Amino acid sequence: MKMEQIDKNWDLVVIGGGITGAGVLREAVRMGLKTLLVEKNDFAYGTSSRSSKLVHGGLRYLKEGRLHLTYESVRQRQRLLEEAPGLVDEIDFLMPVYKKRGPGRLPLTAGLVLYDLMAGKRYHSYLDRKSFSEMVPGIDPTDLSGGFRFMDAQTDDARLVLRLIFESIENGANAVNYTAATRILRNEKQEVTGVSLADAETGKRTEVSAPAVINATGAWAETLHPVHESDMHLRPLRGSHLVIPAGRLPLSQAVTLIHPDDGRPLFIIPWEGALILGTTDIDHGKDIDTEVTATRKEARYMIDCLNAYFPEADIGLTDCAASFAGIRPILTNKKGALDPSKESREHVIWTDKGLVTVTGGKLTTFRILAGDALKAASPWLPESSMLHLKAPVFTENPQVPEAGENGLSADIWRRLFGRYGKKAISIAANARPEDLVLVPGTHTLWAEIPVAAQTERIRHLTDLLLRRVRMGMLLKEGGRQHLERIRELCEPVLPWDAGRWDEELQMYMDYVNTALRVPSA
Ligand SMILES: Cc1cc2nc3c(=O)[nH]c(=O)nc-3n(C[C@H](O)[C@H](O)[C@H](O)COP(=O)(O)OP(=O)(O)OC[C@H]3O[C@@H](n4cnc5c(N)ncnc54)[C@H](O)[C@@H]3O)c2cc1C
């Protein structure tokens, strides 16, 4: 969308198009507020497309005594499982118990009982050594006593953001990507009056008016609104992941691994046709404006942990398809001596005369962040606007078609509805039969790609292949062998000439070979 097409007057401007901004936008629209969201890169470009993709309570937070955060997260997980099928779905977790490594059966039982109590449902069970080994083929049997099975949930983080944004647009909001908020405008009493915006690529500028602005820029929050308490600041912590082709390790459930070197929990999680191994938790120590990437040391740390549990598989960095990394903003004391994994994951809010900053928290708790931010902004919002936090997160989907319709299985229909809402029907109806099959190595239908290209506000090929569909991070070399077919599918719906296509393809491959490269591979 061009700068001059953006309306000038709004009740609320939301800055940042990650999960926090998207969640605020969704709730603001439900409140009847005329709301604009601006994102300086692509929607979900930041941490919200680089998470572990779990919608979870976080068992490890229990161990740290963070009962409140775990409870709120478990309750949100349960709601999202109910309200967003096909986008937030259950995933089984398995956790081995060894005689001489990791936590023993007793403390784990206590934690899992509490976890189930919070969910109001018993999910966990204990498996003996034989049953556990059968469920986790290749797990190191030395001193294995057995293990636990419990439930959590997973999502496609970027698609969760996108569905919130596109449903908000359908309900009257506007959301523009590649548009940076460069300055908060204020009157002589220092009250917020609007925001200066600039197209992140052309530099074209405009100003919009609004009495309230919510700054949901995650790790960048202090760029627009420094923390008011002088001894506090945002500490950017980096978390990295490796993507392993599914064929390399036959896992159909997620497995929790305790790192033999430092006792930190890591996960290996089946996701969208691949396995994700993560994560690290270290001080980023670099400029947050340069692309965040995994280092060789992090990659080795993760792969060593995997090999400690699956020695026979002997997975090396060259087996990995990609790596990706994101930043967690943590509000901390300037001295910042705490172990990164011990820093609080609770969200924080600070306000200043119409400007509300909300940061931290989790993907899982986005509705709590949205509600708290909007409550903090309420003095500057129209009096009649009311929060409806009990409403289902998405509008209800029409009846899911019978399995077999268009040759698609019930699971594929469910996934399509979860990710695209009612647009799922037109994706299937308008597709050629040969496009209603999966891109090899992923759970994406070819038919999704041109529809996303045409209708989901992409500016670049990277937006399409990394965030509308996720093949860029799932496949070796970003799925280079499929680019010709993708071009053929998208040429009719994108206004790009041959020169632009060449540029976009080059830009995409450059990104894949730098930002998503497996260190040292
Ligand atoms: C490695 C890792 C794994 C994680 N795994 C999980 C998990 O499995 N489950 C879970 O619940 N949580 C997880 N989290 C936490 C979760 O991912 C984050 O809390 C969440 O994504 C933060 O979302 P956000 O919208 O606040 O920030 P972001 O997603 O970073 O969004 C902020 C956006 O603001 C934009 N922006 C910045 N400045 C401007 C500006 N001036 N103008 C316009 N836009 C601007 C940025 O481009 C960015 O897109 C994880 C975090 C990390 C780091």
Side-chain angles (χ1 to χ4, degrees):
M1 176 172 285
K2 296 203 174 102
M3 278 286 159
E4 51 277 17
Q5 291 170 313
I6 301 175
D7 265 10
K8 293 284 178 236
N9 295 304
W10 301 89
D11 292 329
L12 173 68
V13 175
V14 181
I15 308 173
I19 190 69
T20 308
V24 170
L25 182 71
R26 186 72 194 90
E27 297 308 328
V29 169
R30 240 195 273 280
M31 292 167 76
L33 299 173
K34 187 179 174 206
T35 312
L36 170 71
L37 179 146
V38 293
E39 162 55 56
K40 78 171 171 181
N41 293 291
D42 183 29
F43 302 128
Y45 163 84
T47 307
S48 300
S49 56
R50 303 152 188 254
S51 77
S52 305
K53 287 105 179 75
L54 295 175
V55 171
H56 65 156
L59 256 188
R60 79 183 173 91
Y61 303 130
L62 266 187
K63 188 173 146 241
E64 286 156 21
R66 298 191 192 281
L67 291 184
H68 179 68
L69 177 66
T70 314
Y71 177 75
E72 281 196 321
S73 306
V74 169
R75 302 310 299 170
Q76 290 299 317
R77 179 192 75 190
Q78 295 307 98
R79 277 190 69 183
L80 286 165
L81 279 169
E82 212 164 283
E83 295 170 12
L87 182 55
V88 178
D89 286 313
E90 287 188 5
I91 179 167
D92 270 345
F93 264 79
L94 296 165
M95 193 175 198
V97 175
Y98 283 95
K99 290 193 187 94
K100 290 185 193 142
R101 62 172 124 143
R105 183 169 169 180
L106 212 63
L108 285 174
T109 306
L112 287 167
V113 166
L114 192 54
Y115 210 49
D116 283 353
L117 278 174
M118 288 176 173
K121 199 167 167 182
R122 186 187 160 114
Y123 289 107
H124 87 274
S125 57
Y126 186 77
L127 302 166
D128 62 19
R129 176 190 158 95
K130 183 167 175 290
S131 319
F132 193 85
S133 307
E134 278 166 11
M135 289 194 85
V136 191
I139 188 97
D140 183 7
T142 321
D143 288 335
L144 180 72
S145 312
F148 285 96
R149 177 184 186 169
F150 62 98
M151 191 281 288
D152 248 318
Q154 70 177 165
T155 188
D156 177 331
D157 47 5
R159 289 260 26 133
L160 181 60
V161 172
L162 291 165
R163 186 146 175 224
L164 289 166
I165 289 180
F166 291 122
E167 281 220 354
S168 303
I169 293 173
E170 264 176 42
N171 287 286
N174 197 0
V176 282
N177 48 2
Y178 293 99
T179 302
T182 51
R183 197 160 60 90
I184 308 295
L185 304 172
R186 295 178 185 271
N187 61 18
E188 60 289 350
K189 292 188 203 147
Q190 291 307 303
E191 294 157 334
V192 166
T193 57
V195 185
S196 274
L197 304 176
D199 184 296
E201 293 180 335
T202 64
K204 221 167 176 183
R205 290 177 178 276
T206 193
E207 286 185 355
V208 292
S209 311
V213 172
I214 294 184
N215 170 25
T217 53
W220 292 269
E222 282 202 279
T223 317
L224 289 166
H225 190 189
V227 184
H228 50 293
E229 295 164 48
S230 59
D231 59 338
M232 301 299 277
H233 75 127
L234 285 182
R235 177 181 183 187
L237 297 177
R238 185 174 67 242
S240 298
H241 297 86
L242 292 170
V243 181
I244 299 169
R248 204 55 193 78
L249 200 62
L251 289 180
S252 46
Q253 287 99 348
V255 184
T256 303
L257 315 167
I258 303 298
H259 202 295
D261 293 350
D262 59 9
R264 281 189 63 250
L266 273 78
F267 306 119
I268 175 121
I269 309 169
W271 185 72
E272 289 286 299
L275 296 167
I276 293 184
L277 173 66
T279 174
T280 54
D281 198 2
I282 55 175
D283 275 307
H284 182 49
K286 293 180 191 161
D287 178 3
I288 54 170
D289 280 323
T290 54
E291 188 61 46
V292 186
T293 53
T295 61
R296 184 180 147 72
K297 196 171 166 196
E298 289 177 282
R300 269 268 49 106
Y301 168 87
M302 292 187 276
I303 216 84
D304 286 350
C305 181
L306 187 66
N307 282 318
Y309 283 84
F310 296 95
E312 300 267 289
D314 191 23
I315 294 173
L317 288 176
T318 46
D319 293 307
C320 298
S323 73
F324 63 93
I327 293 197
R328 220 185 274 277
I330 299 290
L331 189 69
T332 190
N333 185 288
K334 273 216 164 90
K335 291 170 192 93
L338 256 192
D339 171 347
S341 294
K342 300 228 156 45
E343 291 277 19
S344 167
R345 267 50 173 162
E346 307 269 358
H347 65 282
V348 283
I349 288 183
W350 60 99
T351 57
D352 176 26
K353 297 187 175 174
L355 176 62
V356 174
T357 293
V358 53
T359 189
K362 295 166 63 182
L363 195 76
T364 308
T365 52
F366 73 88
R367 273 194 290 189
I368 296 175
L369 272 74
D372 288 354
L374 284 160
K375 278 180 212 153
S378 63
W380 301 280
L381 296 174
E383 261 179 37
S384 57
S385 51
M386 271 182 49
L387 270 165
H388 299 281
L389 290 173
K390 294 215 166 112
V393 64
F394 297 121
T395 44
E396 210 180 315
N397 278 323
Q399 181 92 37
V400 174
E402 292 285 306
E405 198 164 316
N406 292 80
L408 299 178
S409 68
D411 279 351
I412 292 183
W413 271 120
R414 183 184 159 88
R415 182 184 171 283
L416 278 183
F417 271 102
R419 280 159 174 74
Y420 299 93
K422 62 181 187 305
K423 197 159 67 182
I425 299 195
S426 58
I427 292 178
N430 299 328
R432 302 177 303 188
E434 64 268 32
D435 296 332
L436 289 177
V437 290
L438 302 182
V439 176
T442 76
H443 292 175
T444 303
L445 294 174
W446 290 102
E448 292 171 51
I449 301 174
V451 176
Q454 183 172 27
T455 62
E456 295 195 328
R457 302 194 175 189
I458 67 154
R459 191 179 278 194
H460 295 295
L461 193 63
T462 44
D463 306 337
L464 179 64
L465 299 185
L466 290 167
R467 288 170 289 273
R468 303 306 179 281
V469 299
R470 313 302 301 272
M471 58 176 272
M473 55 187 285
L474 288 166
L475 301 178
K476 272 203 166 172
E477 286 195 285
R480 179 201 280 269
Q481 73 274 31
H482 301 310
L483 292 179
E484 210 169 299
R485 178 158 176 194
I486 289 167
R487 180 170 176 169
E488 180 236 316
L489 279 167
C490 296
E491 255 172 352
V493 298
L494 288 174
W496 297 350
D497 61 18
R500 174 77 186 270
W501 267 104
D502 291 346
E503 265 174 46
E504 290 291 338
L505 288 165
Q506 187 60 52
M507 218 158 88
Y508 174 67
M509 285 314 304
D510 287 349
Y511 188 87
V512 166
N513 290 329
T514 51
L516 303 179
R517 192 178 145 263
V518 181
S520 92

